Amino acid sequence: AEVEAAEEAALDRFVRPLGERVQVVEGRAEVLPGIGVLHTPGHTPGHQVVQVGDLVLTGDVVLHPVQVADPSVPYLYDDDPDLAVVTRTKLLEQVGAERGVIATAHFAEPFTRLGG
């Protein structure tokens, strides 16, 4: 979905130069042993996060620490804000239930353990 939604300029600059090294996957997929991707739409149609063991690299699913406490807090630049809230809530609940760790690109402290 991400490739399909991408603008031609982005495809020309970032995707096509990589040629056959790009592996397009749908939904949940293991891309290497122990490393998986999960489809987390809302910010963009094909947004994905990467999971390595109990660590989830959240990408743009969680953009501010307040969203950990209240996943319903919207983000201005989500393509589908309602879907983003559902996705964020589900992901945080899943990681919390597993007492996992999120790694965020947008927090001052990049690692947060959830679930106690």
Side-chain angles (χ1 to χ4, degrees), residues 45-67:
H47 188 276
Q48 295 172 310
V49 299
V50 176
Q51 184 169 13
V52 181
D54 71 346
L55 176 68
V56 176
L57 290 79
T58 62
D60 288 330
V61 172
V62 182
L63 290 131
H64 193 278
V66 74
Q67 292 176 314

Side-chain angles (χ1 to χ4, degrees), residues 38-96:
L38 310 171
H39 183 221
T40 52
H43 180 65
T44 60
H47 188 276
Q48 295 172 310
V49 299
V50 176
Q51 184 169 13
V52 181
D54 71 346
L55 176 68
V56 176
L57 290 79
T58 62
D60 288 330
V61 172
V62 182
L63 290 131
H64 193 278
V66 74
Q67 292 176 314
V68 174
D70 183 359
S72 69
V73 172
Y75 177 59
L76 178 64
Y77 298 107
D78 284 334
D79 280 351
D80 185 335
D82 294 333
L83 180 57
V85 167
V86 170
T87 296
R88 183 169 34 257
T89 301
K90 183 177 175 181
L91 181 68
L92 292 173
E93 287 174 354
Q94 173 191 327
V95 175

Side-chain angles (χ1 to χ4, degrees), residues 21-33:
R21 290 176 283 191
V22 173
Q23 178 184 358
V24 176
V25 297
E26 293 286 335
R28 178 184 286 264
E30 185 173 56
V31 293
L32 291 170

